[in-house]
Amino acid sequence: MSLSPASDDFCGRLGLAQPLLNAPMAGAAGGRLAAAVSSAGGLGMVGIGGGVASDWLERELALAAASGKPWGAGLMAWVLEESLEPLRVVLEHRPDLVCVSFGDPGAAATLARDAGSLVAMQVGNAADLRRALEGDIDVVVVRGSEGGGHGRNEVATLPLLQLALDQTDKPVLAAGGIATARGVAAVLAAGAQGAWIGTRFAACTESISPAKVKEAIASAGTDDTVYTRAFDIAQHLAWPAEFGGRALRNRFSERWADDIESLQGEVAASPSITETVEAARRDADVAQAPVYAGQSAGLTHGGESAADVVADLAGFRTYLRASVSRW
């Protein structure tokens, strides 16, 4: 499947009632969340991290596909450089959209397109955008620095969205800092064909995030996040250095986020910090474990279902109509 130039409508092509996608957040966006978002009229996405167990992957993909609605999956380019097998497993379930980000999509994009999926790529700066404008990418996802989880910390969503819309006729989706109907209206009015939303969906009932993590996100304010590589370094995760992560501030980040060199030395000298963070993740100890969330945490409420979130975000039409009337 591929999209033709400018006139093509992303939502129309996929049969979406709402121009809304949940971000494919590894550790939060499983098959149940994806199915719930798709069933509510958006496009549900499954997030696939590195080293996932094959039985988990098969189960979550089957859950997403079982809705009978369009769905998608997000994978990490730097993980797929080692093996394309996770992508091959995904493609066996016939996703409508595959997003390959955080590195060059390369052979993964070709494989997904040949299998009939639309291929998207998240971009975080002008260089990423230039790569996404090449012929093997169908959909551009502009992910600003406000966004939670891993990505670049170079350009905010609105400047990046404007840059992309001025440079391409491909469908552009906006990500980073969007959590309300007003935010959706803003990016659609600018020309985006959809809103890619992470943090608010990470806290909803179908998310696979632990309850304590959801509570922490729902309790946070807009200025309670930090962008850092500290959590990855502590866990010996092989994320490329240019992709740090935006997470809620906690005791661990307060100690280490601004002292990366010392952290690297401590981790190299002793396993204790690594063991502490890994145990914290298992126990959902939000004081020590990473809780990936964007600045829109301050706009996020806990206890909502995915259908509740989609219905609320669908209120963007009210704001667009009001804006048209005003001007």
Side-chain angles (χ1 to χ4, degrees):
M1 184 188 297
S2 63
L3 289 167
S4 58
S7 60
D8 218 319
D9 171 31
F10 175 78
C11 292
R13 182 64 176 269
L14 294 178
L16 306 183
Q18 306 294 349
L20 306 169
L21 302 85
N22 72 275
M25 305 164 285
R32 184 170 172 238
L33 176 60
V37 172
S38 293
S39 295
L43 187 74
M45 300 284 288
V46 178
I48 301 164
V52 296
S54 58
D55 58 343
W56 181 93
L57 184 56
E58 289 283 359
R59 181 181 69 249
E60 299 302 320
L61 295 172
L63 280 171
S67 71
K69 303 289 186 179
W71 66 283
L75 302 96
M76 303 167 185
W78 63 270
V79 173
L80 295 177
E81 287 177 0
E82 182 175 332
S83 172
L84 290 171
E85 187 57 27
L87 176 58
R88 292 192 180 95
V89 174
V90 169
L91 294 174
E92 289 175 0
H93 293 263
R94 303 181 64 81
D96 297 270
L97 179 70
V98 170
C99 187
V100 182
S101 306
F102 313 120
D104 194 295
T110 301
L111 182 62
R113 286 186 110 224
D114 289 347
S117 297
L118 291 176
V119 178
M121 175 184 170
Q122 289 189 59
V123 305
N125 62 14
D128 285 348
L129 177 59
R130 287 192 293 271
R131 173 61 184 87
L133 297 187
E134 295 181 18
D136 58 347
I137 303 300
D138 300 304
V139 180
V140 180
V141 182
V142 294
R143 185 256 184 211
S145 56
E146 305 99 315
H150 286 86
R152 297 188 188 274
N153 193 39
E154 298 176 33
V155 188
T157 300
L158 191 54
L160 195 57
L161 176 61
Q162 295 169 87
L163 180 67
L165 291 169
D166 282 346
Q167 293 190 7
T168 186
D169 291 329
K170 294 181 181 184
V172 176
L173 309 178
I178 305 167
T180 69
R182 293 180 187 276
V184 175
V187 297
L188 294 181
Q193 290 201 27
W196 176 283
I197 296 165
T199 300
R200 190 163 175 193
F201 280 117
C204 76
T205 55
E206 294 92 345
S207 164
I208 56 177
S209 297
K212 291 179 182 178
V213 168
K214 297 177 186 181
E215 292 166 5
I217 293 172
S219 300
T222 55
D223 54 354
D224 287 340
T225 67
V226 61
Y227 180 88
T228 182
R229 294 178 58 224
F231 294 108
D232 293 334
I233 291 169
Q235 297 171 89
H236 295 283
L237 298 180
W239 272 93
E242 61 268 31
F243 301 118
R246 183 169 296 282
L248 299 186
R249 298 180 187 275
N250 62 10
R251 286 206 303 269
F252 183 87
S253 66
E254 290 296 330
R255 170 63 184 89
W256 297 111
D258 295 325
D259 197 7
I260 296 298
E261 187 174 342
S262 296
L263 175 61
Q264 290 171 323
E266 292 281 348
V267 169
S270 167
S272 61
I273 290 179
T274 301
E275 291 169 353
T276 295
V277 176
E278 289 178 347
R281 292 198 70 168
R282 289 193 300 271
D283 299 338
D285 176 3
V286 298
Q288 296 290 341
V291 176
Y292 289 113
Q295 292 174 342
S296 60
L299 306 169
T300 295
H301 314 290
E304 299 174 298
S305 70
D308 291 336
V309 173
V310 171
D312 182 56
L313 296 175
F316 70 85
R317 294 172 175 86
T318 298
Y319 298 108
L320 288 179
R321 283 193 295 265
S323 183
V324 170
S325 299
R326 185 177 305 118
W327 296 108

